[in-house]
Amino acid sequence: MDCLAECAHIDKSFYGVKVLTDVSFSLRAGEVVALLGENGAGKSTLMKILSGVYTRDAGTVTIMGSPVGNMTPKEAEKRGIAMIHQELNLCSHLTVADNIFLGREITRKGMLARDEMSRQAAMILDSLHIDMDPDMPVADLSVSKQQLVEIAKALSMKARILIMDEPTSALTAKEIDDLFVIIRKLRDEGNCGIVYISHRLDELQHIADRVTVMRDGHFIRSAPFKDLSMGDIISLMVGREIKEKYPRVECAVNKEGKEGRKIFEVKNLSAGGRVKNVSFSLNEGEIVGIAGLMGAGRTELTRAIFGVDARDSGEICLDGKTLSIKKPADAIKAGVVLIPEDRKKHGLCVRLSVRENIALPNLETLCNALSVVNREKEDDLVELTIKNLSVRLSGPEINAGSLSGGNQQKIVLGKWLARNSRVVIFDEPTRGIDVAAKVEIYNLMNDLKKQGIGVLFVSSEMPEIIGFADRIIVMCDGRITGEFSASEATQNKILEKATQFEIKTLGRGRLEEAI
C-alpha cells in the first residue's frame, strides 16, 4: 500500500510545556489507523500538525512521498487532507449547505450559486443516509446533527487523508453504523487512508486495521489491531492495568442502618412539551442514572430543574422545602448545580483562565464588603480545587479551553463543589474522555456520594448506566416509564421501558438509537 502520510520525530510545545516528544506516525492508502491514548496524550495535537492547524517545533512531515514544511489548513486541504475536529467548527448562523461548502463556495458570475450548493449538499447528505434539510440553519440542529454536518463537510472534499477526531461522540447507534459503512467503503476503494481517534474502544473491531498508541506526548506502539487484545490496548494507553471499569461504593448508611434520607424531590414537573409530568426523588449519598433514547427529554429535564428552561408546572423540593427556581442563579444559590452536556459551550468560559473559571461562581465568598476580590482567598480556593480533583495542567493561568476533556470536566465540577452544593447533576459526564479519565470522574462522583451529596446523571452509554448507578430512571417521550435498582437492571429491561415495547433480542451493547 502507498504511504500517504508520515510524521517523523515530531516535537511540539505550548507556552514552554512539551506536549509532543519525538513522535512518529504513518498512514497508508486503504487502511484505517486507530490513533489511541488518554486525554492529553497528544493525539489531536499531532493530527492538527498534519492538517496544518498547528506548526511543529521539530521533525519532518511527508505527504504522498513529498516532504512538506509547516502548512496552513488551506494548503493541507489542497494536498488532500481533511480533518473532522472533536470540537464542532461550524458557523451556526449559516445553513447546512453553506457550512459544507465553506471556503469552497460554488459561484456563478461572481455570485453564490445557492441552489447548486443546496443540490450538491443534499446529494452528500443522502449518500450518508442523513435526513436533513440543506437549507436549514445549523443553529437549529441538535449536537448530533451538527456532528453529521462536520462529517459531510469533510467527506465532500474527497480527501485522500481523512482524520476523524471523536466523530461518533454525539451520534446515535444507527448514525454510527452508517458512518462505519462509509469508512469501510472508503477504505476498500484503496485510494484513501483514515485516521480514527476515539475513546469508544468497542468501535475499533468494526473498522480498525492498525492501532497506534500514544501516552503523555510520546509514541508507544503501532501494531495490527488483530494482534492486540482490548486489555493490551488499555494497558498501552494508560501505562497500567485498569482493574475496575465502574468503581462502585455502597450508598451512605445512617446510624440506624438505613440508606440516606430523601433530600431532593421533583413533583409533576412539565416543561416546554419535552418534559411531561415527571416525578422522582433522590436520597443523600445516592447516584441515580437517567437512561433513554434520543429525544426522550433527559437533557431537557436537567435544564428545567436547573432553571435554564422555564417550567410549565410542578415543584422542586430540597430538604422538604419547595424551591423557587426561575433561573440558574436560583438553583445555584439553593445548592442544586448542573455540569452540562456541552461543557465547552455551557460549562466553561473557554477564553478565561482556569483560575477565573473556578472563581466566577464563588465571587460572593471571595470578595470583601467593597466587592474587591481577596486574592489570598482566591489562591487558596483555586489551589485546593486543582489539588483535590487532581487536575493536570501547567498552571491556573492557562486558558480552560486548552485543557483535555477530562480536565475540563473536573474544572466544571470543581467550581460547583467550592459552593458546598447539595445536589449535583451531570449530563453525559464521560462523553469524549478516555477510559482512565472516565474512572477518575466516577471516583469523583463516588466522593460526592460519600459526602452525602445526591448525584443525578444522564448517560447514553448502557454499560455505564448499569455499571455505575445505584438506581436507574428510564424516560421515553418526556415521561418516566420505568425505574430499576442496580441489581434489577438489564439492558433488555431498560430498552423495553425506553421504547415502550418488548425487546426480544439486543444486538449492540448500547441503547439502540441513543444519543
Side-chain angles (χ1 to χ4, degrees), residues 54-113:
Y54 293 156
T55 59
R56 60 190 183 274
D57 299 335
T60 61
V61 174
T62 303
I63 305 297
M64 300 174 206
S66 301
V68 298
N70 284 317
M71 300 179 289
T72 65
K74 196 68 177 177
E75 290 168 342
E77 183 183 314
K78 289 179 179 178
R79 291 181 179 273
I81 303 171
M83 182 170 180
I84 302 167
H85 295 272
Q86 181 177 0
E87 302 88 7
L88 297 174
N89 288 302
L90 299 173
C91 297
S92 59
H93 64 289
L94 298 179
T95 68
V96 171
D98 289 337
N99 274 277
I100 289 176
F101 289 101
L102 194 64
R104 303 176 295 116
E105 291 82 1
I106 301 172
T107 60
R108 292 195 196 102
K109 298 179 180 180
M111 301 290 288
L112 283 178

Side-chain angles (χ1 to χ4, degrees), residues 14 31 173 175 180 222 294 332 376 395 400 415:
F14 291 105
E31 74 168 350
E175 289 166 346
F180 288 169
S222 186
M294 174 183 264
I332 294 166
E376 187 176 342
K415 69 181 185 181

Side-chain angles (χ1 to χ4, degrees), residues 273-276 278 290-298 473-482 494-501:
R274 301 296 299 275
V275 180
K276 305 170 184 176
V278 168
I290 305 179
L293 309 185
M294 174 183 264
R298 298 168 302 165
I473 292 170
V474 186
M475 292 187 68
C476 178
D477 191 29
R479 296 178 172 84
I480 290 180
T481 53
I494 292 174
L495 273 176
E496 285 178 13
K497 296 299 183 182
T499 56
Q500 289 292 276
F501 62 83

Side-chain angles (χ1 to χ4, degrees), residues 382-397:
V382 172
E383 182 180 344
L384 187 63
T385 300
I386 291 171
K387 179 181 177 182
N388 287 347
L389 300 183
S390 301
V391 183
R392 293 187 288 274
L393 75 174
S394 57
E397 308 309 327

Side-chain angles (χ1 to χ4, degrees), residues 26-271:
S26 65
L27 176 69
R28 297 185 290 268
E31 74 168 350
V32 177
V33 175
L35 183 57
L36 306 177
E38 294 185 81
N39 285 107
K43 312 179 297 295
S44 296
T45 299
L46 179 64
M47 290 301 101
K48 286 178 179 178
I49 288 173
L50 181 58
S51 61
V53 177
Y54 293 156
T55 59
R56 60 190 183 274
D57 299 335
T60 61
V61 174
T62 303
I63 305 297
M64 300 174 206
S66 301
V68 298
N70 284 317
M71 300 179 289
T72 65
K74 196 68 177 177
E75 290 168 342
E77 183 183 314
K78 289 179 179 178
R79 291 181 179 273
I81 303 171
M83 182 170 180
I84 302 167
H85 295 272
Q86 181 177 0
E87 302 88 7
L88 297 174
N89 288 302
L90 299 173
C91 297
S92 59
H93 64 289
L94 298 179
T95 68
V96 171
D98 289 337
N99 274 277
I100 289 176
F101 289 101
L102 194 64
R104 303 176 295 116
E105 291 82 1
I106 301 172
T107 60
R108 292 195 196 102
K109 298 179 180 180
M111 301 290 288
L112 283 178
R114 291 193 176 277
D115 56 343
E116 182 61 19
M117 288 167 56
S118 180
R119 188 187 69 82
Q120 291 193 27
M123 290 174 60
I124 295 166
L125 293 168
D126 186 61
S127 71
L128 293 171
H129 305 288
I130 300 171
D131 182 16
M132 189 185 299
D133 181 358
D135 297 320
M136 176 180 288
V138 164
D140 295 342
L141 299 176
S142 66
V143 173
S144 69
K145 294 297 184 185
Q146 290 183 29
Q147 186 80 306
L148 290 174
V149 174
E150 285 274 26
I151 293 169
K153 179 180 176 180
L155 293 179
S156 73
M157 298 177 188
K158 296 181 171 57
R160 293 201 65 193
I161 299 168
L162 184 57
I163 303 165
M164 297 185 168
D165 193 353
E166 297 286 352
T168 64
S169 61
L171 302 187
T172 70
K174 183 180 183 303
E175 289 166 346
I176 291 171
D177 287 337
D178 289 342
L179 177 61
F180 288 169
V181 169
I182 293 165
I183 289 173
R184 288 191 290 265
K185 181 176 182 291
L186 292 172
R187 176 193 62 191
D188 295 344
E189 287 173 352
N191 189 51
C192 178
I194 298 168
V195 183
Y196 191 86
I197 301 174
S198 179
H199 294 308
R200 293 180 168 180
L201 301 184
D202 61 310
E203 295 177 348
L204 304 185
Q205 61 185 310
H206 302 288
I207 53 171
D209 301 304
R210 187 158 55 93
V211 170
T212 296
V213 180
M214 295 178 64
R215 185 171 69 241
D216 297 330
H218 294 77
F219 167 83
I220 300 299
R221 184 179 176 187
S222 186
F225 174 72
K226 60 182 177 60
D227 293 345
L228 297 172
S229 69
M230 205 55 68
D232 293 335
I233 292 172
I234 292 173
S235 294
L236 289 169
M237 286 170 58
V238 303
R240 64 189 188 280
E241 184 182 358
I242 300 292
K243 295 183 178 179
E244 193 172 7
K245 192 173 182 181
Y246 301 109
R248 184 198 292 273
V249 298
E250 294 301 317
C251 287
V253 175
N254 60 26
K255 293 180 180 179
E256 289 74 33
K258 297 179 181 179
E259 290 187 356
R261 64 184 177 85
K262 180 167 64 179
I263 60 170
F264 185 68
E265 191 171 10
V266 172
K267 302 178 182 178
N268 305 314
L269 178 62
S270 295

